[in-house]
Amino acid sequence: GAVVSQHPSRVICKSGTSVKIECRSLDFQATTMFWYRQFPKQSLMLMATSNEGSKATYEQGVEKDKFLINHASLTLSTLTVTSAHPEDSSFYICSAKAQGVPYGYTFGSGTRLTVV
Amino acid sequence: AQKVTQAQTEISVVEKEDVTLDCVYETRDTTYYLFWYKQPPSGELVFLIRRNSFDEQNEISGRYSWNFQKSTSSFNFTITASQVVDSAVYFCALSEHSYGGSQGNLIFGKGTKLSVKP
């Protein structure tokens, strides 16, 4: 079946540094990638939607200059948290739409980010 | 506006009990999909089921069953003879059919934490 590899699974970084999270579709082409954030004991909230080769669309309240999304190819999308602060500590998870698979969502395994 | 409500925040049962997780959704669209996911403590989302709005047949998969009722906008999930390994957070989610056939994102409920005690 479709697999999305997400790395790293856990990362601890210092306040003010940047962290890059990668989601790679291993056996299919992901035309659309959704990025979600989940705070402890809360639901998954959509941050942004990216389509291959175009700029990401951010949800209201999500700073596009802080959360940089790149979807340069059909198999790779990245989320970079720039100048991370402790309040950015969260669980980040990507979800890819497979080309030609209607309403098929494939999730990465998630990245637990801790900013100290 | 689309919305998914999981009114039960936490449920605790003893092993072998049956348990039903409720999900109520709101949408103006006539074409949509409903999902259930399991999220164990490790965090990854485990896909359980997808149901489209035109298929109201109930579904059974082993100890899992789903009851979809459009009349009440509900898509409830029942675990029969629960086991400790069923302990997790369960999310109900909705995806609408966007104009032009493009796929929308998933809208998640707040989740129900199920604890199954031995």
Side-chain angles (χ1 to χ4, degrees), chain A residues 29-56:
Chain A
Q29 294 184 323
T31 51
T32 303
M33 191 72 78
F34 302 99
W35 287 92
Y36 293 87
R37 178 169 54 183
Q38 184 182 28
F39 291 110
K41 298 188 178 182
Q42 293 190 26
S43 188
L44 288 83
M45 300 302 295
L46 181 69
M47 298 175 66
T49 302
S50 71
N51 293 296
E52 183 264 339
S54 59
K55 288 184 179 180

PDB file of all heavy atoms in Angstrom, chain A residues 29-56:
ATOM      1  N   GLN A  29       2.863   8.974  -6.179  1.00  0.00           N
ATOM      2  CA  GLN A  29       3.109  10.396  -6.376  1.00  0.00           C
ATOM      3  C   GLN A  29       2.069  11.202  -5.608  1.00  0.00           C
ATOM      4  O   GLN A  29       0.865  11.046  -5.832  1.00  0.00           O
ATOM      5  CB  GLN A  29       3.048  10.730  -7.872  1.00  0.00           C
ATOM      6  CG  GLN A  29       4.180  10.072  -8.647  1.00  0.00           C
ATOM      7  CD  GLN A  29       4.180  10.483 -10.102  1.00  0.00           C
ATOM      8  OE1 GLN A  29       3.131  10.651 -10.706  1.00  0.00           O
ATOM      9  NE2 GLN A  29       5.366  10.653 -10.675  1.00  0.00           N
ATOM     10  N   ALA A  30       2.549  12.026  -4.721  1.00  0.00           N
ATOM     11  CA  ALA A  30       1.670  12.815  -3.866  1.00  0.00           C
ATOM     12  C   ALA A  30       1.432  14.189  -4.495  1.00  0.00           C
ATOM     13  O   ALA A  30       2.293  15.057  -4.446  1.00  0.00           O
ATOM     14  CB  ALA A  30       2.283  12.965  -2.477  1.00  0.00           C
ATOM     15  N   THR A  31       0.279  14.368  -5.095  1.00  0.00           N
ATOM     16  CA  THR A  31      -0.008  15.647  -5.729  1.00  0.00           C
ATOM     17  C   THR A  31      -0.310  16.726  -4.696  1.00  0.00           C
ATOM     18  O   THR A  31      -0.057  17.896  -4.915  1.00  0.00           O
ATOM     19  CB  THR A  31      -1.214  15.515  -6.674  1.00  0.00           C
ATOM     20  OG1 THR A  31      -2.291  14.906  -5.950  1.00  0.00           O
ATOM     21  CG2 THR A  31      -0.866  14.660  -7.876  1.00  0.00           C
ATOM     22  N   THR A  32      -0.860  16.310  -3.585  1.00  0.00           N
ATOM     23  CA  THR A  32      -1.208  17.249  -2.526  1.00  0.00           C
ATOM     24  C   THR A  32      -0.691  16.731  -1.197  1.00  0.00           C
ATOM     25  O   THR A  32      -0.799  15.543  -0.907  1.00  0.00           O
ATOM     26  CB  THR A  32      -2.742  17.430  -2.426  1.00  0.00           C
ATOM     27  OG1 THR A  32      -3.241  17.869  -3.682  1.00  0.00           O
ATOM     28  CG2 THR A  32      -3.106  18.434  -1.348  1.00  0.00           C
ATOM     29  N   MET A  33      -0.143  17.633  -0.412  1.00  0.00           N
ATOM     30  CA  MET A  33       0.319  17.277   0.932  1.00  0.00           C
ATOM     31  C   MET A  33      -0.355  18.202   1.930  1.00  0.00           C
ATOM     32  O   MET A  33      -0.378  19.423   1.747  1.00  0.00           O
ATOM     33  CB  MET A  33       1.837  17.420   1.038  1.00  0.00           C
ATOM     34  CG  MET A  33       2.421  16.827   2.316  1.00  0.00           C
ATOM     35  SD  MET A  33       2.408  15.020   2.318  1.00  0.00           S
ATOM     36  CE  MET A  33       3.811  14.678   1.263  1.00  0.00           C
ATOM     37  N   PHE A  34      -0.924  17.613   2.955  1.00  0.00           N
ATOM     38  CA  PHE A  34      -1.522  18.387   4.035  1.00  0.00           C
ATOM     39  C   PHE A  34      -0.603  18.293   5.254  1.00  0.00           C
ATOM     40  O   PHE A  34      -0.111  17.217   5.578  1.00  0.00           O
ATOM     41  CB  PHE A  34      -2.900  17.828   4.407  1.00  0.00           C
ATOM     42  CG  PHE A  34      -3.882  17.787   3.264  1.00  0.00           C
ATOM     43  CD1 PHE A  34      -4.107  16.601   2.570  1.00  0.00           C
ATOM     44  CD2 PHE A  34      -4.574  18.919   2.880  1.00  0.00           C
ATOM     45  CE1 PHE A  34      -5.009  16.550   1.520  1.00  0.00           C
ATOM     46  CE2 PHE A  34      -5.480  18.885   1.829  1.00  0.00           C
ATOM     47  CZ  PHE A  34      -5.701  17.701   1.140  1.00  0.00           C
ATOM     48  N   TRP A  35      -0.412  19.406   5.913  1.00  0.00           N
ATOM     49  CA  TRP A  35       0.392  19.428   7.137  1.00  0.00           C
ATOM     50  C   TRP A  35      -0.508  19.771   8.312  1.00  0.00           C
ATOM     51  O   TRP A  35      -1.223  20.779   8.296  1.00  0.00           O
ATOM     52  CB  TRP A  35       1.528  20.434   7.019  1.00  0.00           C
ATOM     53  CG  TRP A  35       2.625  19.981   6.112  1.00  0.00           C
ATOM     54  CD1 TRP A  35       2.762  20.233   4.778  1.00  0.00           C
ATOM     55  CD2 TRP A  35       3.744  19.167   6.475  1.00  0.00           C
ATOM     56  NE1 TRP A  35       3.892  19.635   4.281  1.00  0.00           N
ATOM     57  CE2 TRP A  35       4.512  18.973   5.311  1.00  0.00           C
ATOM     58  CE3 TRP A  35       4.169  18.576   7.670  1.00  0.00           C
ATOM     59  CZ2 TRP A  35       5.689  18.223   5.301  1.00  0.00           C
ATOM     60  CZ3 TRP A  35       5.338  17.831   7.668  1.00  0.00           C
ATOM     61  CH2 TRP A  35       6.081  17.654   6.495  1.00  0.00           C
ATOM     62  N   TYR A  36      -0.438  18.921   9.329  1.00  0.00           N
ATOM     63  CA  TYR A  36      -1.250  19.103  10.525  1.00  0.00           C
ATOM     64  C   TYR A  36      -0.352  19.301  11.741  1.00  0.00           C
ATOM     65  O   TYR A  36       0.782  18.842  11.789  1.00  0.00           O
ATOM     66  CB  TYR A  36      -2.129  17.866  10.770  1.00  0.00           C
ATOM     67  CG  TYR A  36      -3.200  17.625   9.748  1.00  0.00           C
ATOM     68  CD1 TYR A  36      -2.933  16.905   8.588  1.00  0.00           C
ATOM     69  CD2 TYR A  36      -4.497  18.101   9.936  1.00  0.00           C
ATOM     70  CE1 TYR A  36      -3.922  16.667   7.644  1.00  0.00           C
ATOM     71  CE2 TYR A  36      -5.497  17.863   9.006  1.00  0.00           C
ATOM     72  CZ  TYR A  36      -5.201  17.146   7.867  1.00  0.00           C
ATOM     73  OH  TYR A  36      -6.187  16.911   6.935  1.00  0.00           O
ATOM     74  N   ARG A  37      -0.925  19.944  12.738  1.00  0.00           N
ATOM     75  CA  ARG A  37      -0.238  20.110  14.013  1.00  0.00           C
ATOM     76  C   ARG A  37      -1.183  19.612  15.099  1.00  0.00           C
ATOM     77  O   ARG A  37      -2.397  19.851  15.037  1.00  0.00           O
ATOM     78  CB  ARG A  37       0.111  21.591  14.233  1.00  0.00           C
ATOM     79  CG  ARG A  37       0.780  21.896  15.545  1.00  0.00           C
ATOM     80  CD  ARG A  37       1.323  23.309  15.548  1.00  0.00           C
ATOM     81  NE  ARG A  37       0.337  24.312  15.228  1.00  0.00           N
ATOM     82  CZ  ARG A  37       0.600  25.608  15.117  1.00  0.00           C
ATOM     83  NH1 ARG A  37       1.836  26.046  15.292  1.00  0.00           N
ATOM     84  NH2 ARG A  37      -0.353  26.461  14.820  1.00  0.00           N
ATOM     85  N   GLN A  38      -0.613  18.936  16.081  1.00  0.00           N
ATOM     86  CA  GLN A  38      -1.421  18.402  17.163  1.00  0.00           C
ATOM     87  C   GLN A  38      -0.752  18.719  18.488  1.00  0.00           C
ATOM     88  O   GLN A  38       0.323  18.182  18.790  1.00  0.00           O
ATOM     89  CB  GLN A  38      -1.604  16.887  17.007  1.00  0.00           C
ATOM     90  CG  GLN A  38      -2.517  16.271  18.061  1.00  0.00           C
ATOM     91  CD  GLN A  38      -2.640  14.753  17.919  1.00  0.00           C
ATOM     92  OE1 GLN A  38      -1.734  14.088  17.435  1.00  0.00           O
ATOM     93  NE2 GLN A  38      -3.767  14.198  18.339  1.00  0.00           N
ATOM     94  N   PHE A  39      -1.384  19.565  19.298  1.00  0.00           N
ATOM     95  CA  PHE A  39      -0.896  19.843  20.633  1.00  0.00           C
ATOM     96  C   PHE A  39      -1.364  18.723  21.550  1.00  0.00           C
ATOM     97  O   PHE A  39      -2.333  18.022  21.250  1.00  0.00           O
ATOM     98  CB  PHE A  39      -1.382  21.210  21.102  1.00  0.00           C
ATOM     99  CG  PHE A  39      -0.745  22.342  20.357  1.00  0.00           C
ATOM    100  CD1 PHE A  39      -1.484  23.114  19.469  1.00  0.00           C
ATOM    101  CD2 PHE A  39       0.595  22.639  20.517  1.00  0.00           C
ATOM    102  CE1 PHE A  39      -0.884  24.155  18.762  1.00  0.00           C
ATOM    103  CE2 PHE A  39       1.203  23.669  19.812  1.00  0.00           C
ATOM    104  CZ  PHE A  39       0.451  24.418  18.929  1.00  0.00           C
ATOM    105  N   PRO A  40      -0.661  18.554  22.688  1.00  0.00           N
ATOM    106  CA  PRO A  40      -0.981  17.445  23.595  1.00  0.00           C
ATOM    107  C   PRO A  40      -2.464  17.389  23.953  1.00  0.00           C
ATOM    108  O   PRO A  40      -3.072  18.403  24.294  1.00  0.00           O
ATOM    109  CB  PRO A  40      -0.114  17.733  24.819  1.00  0.00           C
ATOM    110  CG  PRO A  40       1.052  18.476  24.271  1.00  0.00           C
ATOM    111  CD  PRO A  40       0.499  19.325  23.167  1.00  0.00           C
ATOM    112  N   LYS A  41      -3.010  16.211  23.829  1.00  0.00           N
ATOM    113  CA  LYS A  41      -4.407  15.935  24.187  1.00  0.00           C
ATOM    114  C   LYS A  41      -5.391  16.754  23.365  1.00  0.00           C
ATOM    115  O   LYS A  41      -6.519  16.994  23.794  1.00  0.00           O
ATOM    116  CB  LYS A  41      -4.636  16.171  25.685  1.00  0.00           C
ATOM    117  CG  LYS A  41      -3.799  15.247  26.561  1.00  0.00           C
ATOM    118  CD  LYS A  41      -4.172  15.358  28.015  1.00  0.00           C
ATOM    119  CE  LYS A  41      -3.341  14.387  28.845  1.00  0.00           C
ATOM    120  NZ  LYS A  41      -3.698  14.423  30.269  1.00  0.00           N
ATOM    121  N   GLN A  42      -4.976  17.163  22.190  1.00  0.00           N
ATOM    122  CA  GLN A  42      -5.883  17.893  21.323  1.00  0.00           C
ATOM    123  C   GLN A  42      -5.999  17.205  19.976  1.00  0.00           C
ATOM    124  O   GLN A  42      -5.342  16.195  19.712  1.00  0.00           O
ATOM    125  CB  GLN A  42      -5.402  19.338  21.147  1.00  0.00           C
ATOM    126  CG  GLN A  42      -5.486  20.151  22.421  1.00  0.00           C
ATOM    127  CD  GLN A  42      -5.248  21.624  22.183  1.00  0.00           C
ATOM    128  OE1 GLN A  42      -5.473  22.136  21.092  1.00  0.00           O
ATOM    129  NE2 GLN A  42      -4.792  22.316  23.207  1.00  0.00           N
ATOM    130  N   SER A  43      -6.854  17.753  19.140  1.00  0.00           N
ATOM    131  CA  SER A  43      -7.076  17.148  17.834  1.00  0.00           C
ATOM    132  C   SER A  43      -6.029  17.615  16.829  1.00  0.00           C
ATOM    133  O   SER A  43      -5.187  18.453  17.129  1.00  0.00           O
ATOM    134  CB  SER A  43      -8.470  17.513  17.338  1.00  0.00           C
ATOM    135  OG  SER A  43      -8.783  16.790  16.175  1.00  0.00           O
ATOM    136  N   LEU A  44      -6.104  17.077  15.642  1.00  0.00           N
ATOM    137  CA  LEU A  44      -5.212  17.494  14.568  1.00  0.00           C
ATOM    138  C   LEU A  44      -5.815  18.719  13.882  1.00  0.00           C
ATOM    139  O   LEU A  44      -6.979  18.702  13.464  1.00  0.00           O
ATOM    140  CB  LEU A  44      -5.039  16.388  13.532  1.00  0.00           C
ATOM    141  CG  LEU A  44      -4.215  15.186  13.970  1.00  0.00           C
ATOM    142  CD1 LEU A  44      -5.049  14.190  14.751  1.00  0.00           C
ATOM    143  CD2 LEU A  44      -3.600  14.500  12.762  1.00  0.00           C
ATOM    144  N   MET A  45      -5.008  19.743  13.759  1.00  0.00           N
ATOM    145  CA  MET A  45      -5.457  20.968  13.123  1.00  0.00           C
ATOM    146  C   MET A  45      -4.647  21.190  11.856  1.00  0.00           C
ATOM    147  O   MET A  45      -3.417  21.147  11.867  1.00  0.00           O
ATOM    148  CB  MET A  45      -5.282  22.161  14.065  1.00  0.00           C
ATOM    149  CG  MET A  45      -6.070  22.034  15.358  1.00  0.00           C
ATOM    150  SD  MET A  45      -7.852  21.845  15.091  1.00  0.00           S
ATOM    151  CE  MET A  45      -8.263  23.421  14.368  1.00  0.00           C
ATOM    152  N   LEU A  46      -5.342  21.442  10.772  1.00  0.00           N
ATOM    153  CA  LEU A  46      -4.668  21.684   9.499  1.00  0.00           C
ATOM    154  C   LEU A  46      -3.887  22.991   9.555  1.00  0.00           C
ATOM    155  O   LEU A  46      -4.426  24.023   9.958  1.00  0.00           O
ATOM    156  CB  LEU A  46      -5.696  21.739   8.367  1.00  0.00           C
ATOM    157  CG  LEU A  46      -5.140  21.970   6.970  1.00  0.00           C
ATOM    158  CD1 LEU A  46      -4.351  20.740   6.506  1.00  0.00           C
ATOM    159  CD2 LEU A  46      -6.259  22.271   5.987  1.00  0.00           C
ATOM    160  N   MET A  47      -2.623  22.910   9.150  1.00  0.00           N
ATOM    161  CA  MET A  47      -1.800  24.118   9.089  1.00  0.00           C
ATOM    162  C   MET A  47      -1.783  24.683   7.672  1.00  0.00           C
ATOM    163  O   MET A  47      -1.935  25.881   7.464  1.00  0.00           O
ATOM    164  CB  MET A  47      -0.359  23.801   9.499  1.00  0.00           C
ATOM    165  CG  MET A  47      -0.187  23.311  10.913  1.00  0.00           C
ATOM    166  SD  MET A  47       1.513  22.843  11.208  1.00  0.00           S
ATOM    167  CE  MET A  47       2.334  24.431  11.062  1.00  0.00           C
ATOM    168  N   ALA A  48      -1.541  23.791   6.722  1.00  0.00           N
ATOM    169  CA  ALA A  48      -1.388  24.244   5.349  1.00  0.00           C
ATOM    170  C   ALA A  48      -1.576  23.089   4.389  1.00  0.00           C
ATOM    171  O   ALA A  48      -1.462  21.922   4.765  1.00  0.00           O
ATOM    172  CB  ALA A  48      -0.008  24.867   5.153  1.00  0.00           C
ATOM    173  N   THR A  49      -1.862  23.477   3.158  1.00  0.00           N
ATOM    174  CA  THR A  49      -2.020  22.515   2.065  1.00  0.00           C
ATOM    175  C   THR A  49      -1.061  22.905   0.962  1.00  0.00           C
ATOM    176  O   THR A  49      -0.994  24.088   0.584  1.00  0.00           O
ATOM    177  CB  THR A  49      -3.457  22.563   1.512  1.00  0.00           C
ATOM    178  OG1 THR A  49      -4.369  22.292   2.569  1.00  0.00           O
ATOM    179  CG2 THR A  49      -3.643  21.541   0.398  1.00  0.00           C
ATOM    180  N   SER A  50      -0.318  21.933   0.470  1.00  0.00           N
ATOM    181  CA  SER A  50       0.608  22.261  -0.616  1.00  0.00           C
ATOM    182  C   SER A  50       0.379  21.331  -1.794  1.00  0.00           C
ATOM    183  O   SER A  50       0.106  20.138  -1.621  1.00  0.00           O
ATOM    184  CB  SER A  50       2.058  22.157  -0.141  1.00  0.00           C
ATOM    185  OG  SER A  50       2.434  20.810   0.057  1.00  0.00           O
ATOM    186  N   ASN A  51       0.446  21.909  -2.961  1.00  0.00           N
ATOM    187  CA  ASN A  51       0.377  21.140  -4.197  1.00  0.00           C
ATOM    188  C   ASN A  51       1.723  21.221  -4.887  1.00  0.00           C
ATOM    189  O   ASN A  51       2.380  22.261  -4.852  1.00  0.00           O
ATOM    190  CB  ASN A  51      -0.719  21.688  -5.108  1.00  0.00           C
ATOM    191  CG  ASN A  51      -2.099  21.461  -4.524  1.00  0.00           C
ATOM    192  OD1 ASN A  51      -2.538  20.332  -4.350  1.00  0.00           O
ATOM    193  ND2 ASN A  51      -2.782  22.534  -4.199  1.00  0.00           N
ATOM    194  N   GLU A  52       2.110  20.152  -5.490  1.00  0.00           N
ATOM    195  CA  GLU A  52       3.424  20.071  -6.117  1.00  0.00           C
ATOM    196  C   GLU A  52       3.643  21.224  -7.092  1.00  0.00           C
ATOM    197  O   GLU A  52       2.783  21.489  -7.942  1.00  0.00           O
ATOM    198  CB  GLU A  52       3.569  18.718  -6.827  1.00  0.00           C
ATOM    199  CG  GLU A  52       4.930  18.495  -7.455  1.00  0.00           C
ATOM    200  CD  GLU A  52       4.950  18.844  -8.927  1.00  0.00           C
ATOM    201  OE1 GLU A  52       3.877  18.866  -9.552  1.00  0.00           O
ATOM    202  OE2 GLU A  52       6.047  19.090  -9.447  1.00  0.00           O
ATOM    203  N   GLY A  53       4.741  21.918  -6.890  1.00  0.00           N
ATOM    204  CA  GLY A  53       5.121  22.981  -7.815  1.00  0.00           C
ATOM    205  C   GLY A  53       4.474  24.325  -7.574  1.00  0.00           C
ATOM    206  O   GLY A  53       4.737  25.275  -8.302  1.00  0.00           O
ATOM    207  N   SER A  54       3.628  24.433  -6.567  1.00  0.00           N
ATOM    208  CA  SER A  54       3.003  25.727  -6.301  1.00  0.00           C
ATOM    209  C   SER A  54       3.133  26.090  -4.830  1.00  0.00           C
ATOM    210  O   SER A  54       3.500  25.264  -4.002  1.00  0.00           O
ATOM    211  CB  SER A  54       1.537  25.721  -6.729  1.00  0.00           C
ATOM    212  OG  SER A  54       0.832  24.728  -6.037  1.00  0.00           O
ATOM    213  N   LYS A  55       2.810  27.334  -4.529  1.00  0.00           N
ATOM    214  CA  LYS A  55       2.937  27.802  -3.152  1.00  0.00           C
ATOM    215  C   LYS A  55       1.871  27.161  -2.260  1.00  0.00           C
ATOM    216  O   LYS A  55       0.756  26.886  -2.695  1.00  0.00           O
ATOM    217  CB  LYS A  55       2.786  29.321  -3.102  1.00  0.00           C
ATOM    218  CG  LYS A  55       3.961  30.072  -3.674  1.00  0.00           C
ATOM    219  CD  LYS A  55       3.788  31.574  -3.493  1.00  0.00           C
ATOM    220  CE  LYS A  55       4.990  32.314  -4.048  1.00  0.00           C
ATOM    221  NZ  LYS A  55       4.842  33.789  -3.886  1.00  0.00           N
ATOM    222  N   ALA A  56       2.254  26.986  -1.029  1.00  0.00           N
ATOM    223  CA  ALA A  56       1.321  26.383  -0.083  1.00  0.00           C
ATOM    224  C   ALA A  56       0.220  27.369   0.308  1.00  0.00           C
ATOM    225  O   ALA A  56       0.418  28.589   0.286  1.00  0.00           O
ATOM    226  CB  ALA A  56       2.068  25.925   1.166  1.00  0.00           C
TER     227      ALA A  56
END
